[in-house]
């Protein structure tokens, strides 16, 4: 949530992610798409790059990624490539969700890695996102 | 192909991509996963980030991405987020292909963007990849 709040403070869609391995947080990220002019800078991708830089390896075997929002196909693909073991998220993404809502890439046995994904409903994650988009839609006076 | 060759010279899986807008190449990339310890550093992602840095915008509306290999779900997701109009590729990816081989994310009407994807078979793209993996499998004497 701290990461998501940091994103919102910069005017970004408030999504945050952390990566834990051996009980230590090795990566953090929030959406920086607008600031960095980078469509790939979703919270999960930023956190994966941060974690890989921390450990000096692209393999995050056994790691857990926790995100405030259900990963999209791009982020789900990156999570599979990084061999992350478990993903947890607090809100469903009804537009892009690739864990269960639009499709399920994590348990697609046709790929060479399976990540276990868990939806742990969080009112805090939900309301931060709905509040952000409601504010965006308000007319400017 | 020049980008893919640059990747192979660095010991990376030889995949290369370029992005064209208004008849100008605005982005280039090859796989740098091993060198950068970054599982997201596929040729397409590197090229998208490069193109966005060139024009100072995350929106690549109307752009064409040409890759030596069929994009995976991560790269296909990034291409959709960047609103790229057209994707062309020279070899199918039988493990991760997300344009037609394993799934088709580009023409999934449930997402808010459609990218037209074209497979233009290239013996050069195919043989560079098969040659690379054949060499990897050779016993070291």
């Amino acid at each position: 949530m701290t990461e998501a709040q940091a994103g919102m403070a910069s005017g970004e869609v408030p999504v945050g992610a952390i990566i834990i391995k051996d009980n230590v947080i090795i990566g953090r990220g929030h959406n920086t798409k607008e600031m960095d002019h980078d469509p790939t800078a979703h919270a999960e991708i930023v956190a994966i790059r941060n974690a890989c830089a921390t450990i000096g390896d692209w393999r995050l075997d056994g790691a857990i990624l926790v995100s405030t929002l259900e990963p999209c196909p791009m982020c789900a693909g990156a999570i599979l490539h990084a061999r992350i073991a478990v993903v947890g998220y607090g809100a469903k993404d009804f537009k892009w969700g690739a864990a269960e809502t639009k499709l399920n890439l994590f348990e697609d046995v046709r790929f060479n890695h399976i990540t276990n994904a868990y939806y742990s409903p969080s009112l805090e994650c939900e309301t931060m996102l709905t509040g952000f988009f409601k504010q965006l839609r308000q007319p400017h006076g």
Side-chain angles (χ1 to χ4, degrees), chain A:
Chain A
M1 283 304 294
T2 312
E3 283 297 330
Q5 281 158 354
M8 188 151 73
S10 318
E12 303 278 354
V13 177
V15 181
I18 57 168
I19 296 175
I20 301 156
K21 195 173 177 185
D22 301 328
N23 299 315
V24 176
I25 295 175
I26 58 167
R28 295 173 182 273
H30 60 263
N31 198 328
T32 60
K33 186 174 86 169
E34 300 293 342
M35 187 177 70
D36 292 338
H37 308 305
D38 181 355
T40 76
H42 281 195
E44 301 93 318
I45 300 273
V46 175
I48 287 171
R49 288 194 180 125
N50 183 231
C52 292
T54 302
I55 67 167
D57 196 334
W58 61 260
R59 299 165 193 83
L60 299 175
D61 307 72
I64 299 166
L65 185 147
V66 182
S67 177
T68 57
L69 183 64
E70 182 182 358
C72 72
M74 174 180 73
C75 295
I79 287 163
L80 291 169
H81 287 315
R83 302 182 187 168
I84 287 173
V86 177
V87 165
Y89 53 95
K92 290 189 185 182
D93 185 342
F94 294 102
K95 282 189 174 174
W96 287 96
E100 57 174 317
T101 306
K102 284 289 176 83
L103 69 165
N104 184 347
L105 288 176
F106 290 123
E107 292 172 358
D108 192 322
V109 293
R110 296 171 303 167
F111 298 125
N112 69 352
H113 183 76
I114 294 284
T115 296
N116 293 306
Y118 299 95
Y119 169 45
S120 174
S122 158
L123 193 59
E124 208 179 355
C125 294
E126 295 267 7
T127 51
M128 183 176 277
L129 280 160
T130 50
F132 174 80
F133 286 111
K134 198 174 170 183
Q135 192 185 15
L136 270 191
R137 283 193 298 267
Q138 273 184 349
H140 298 284

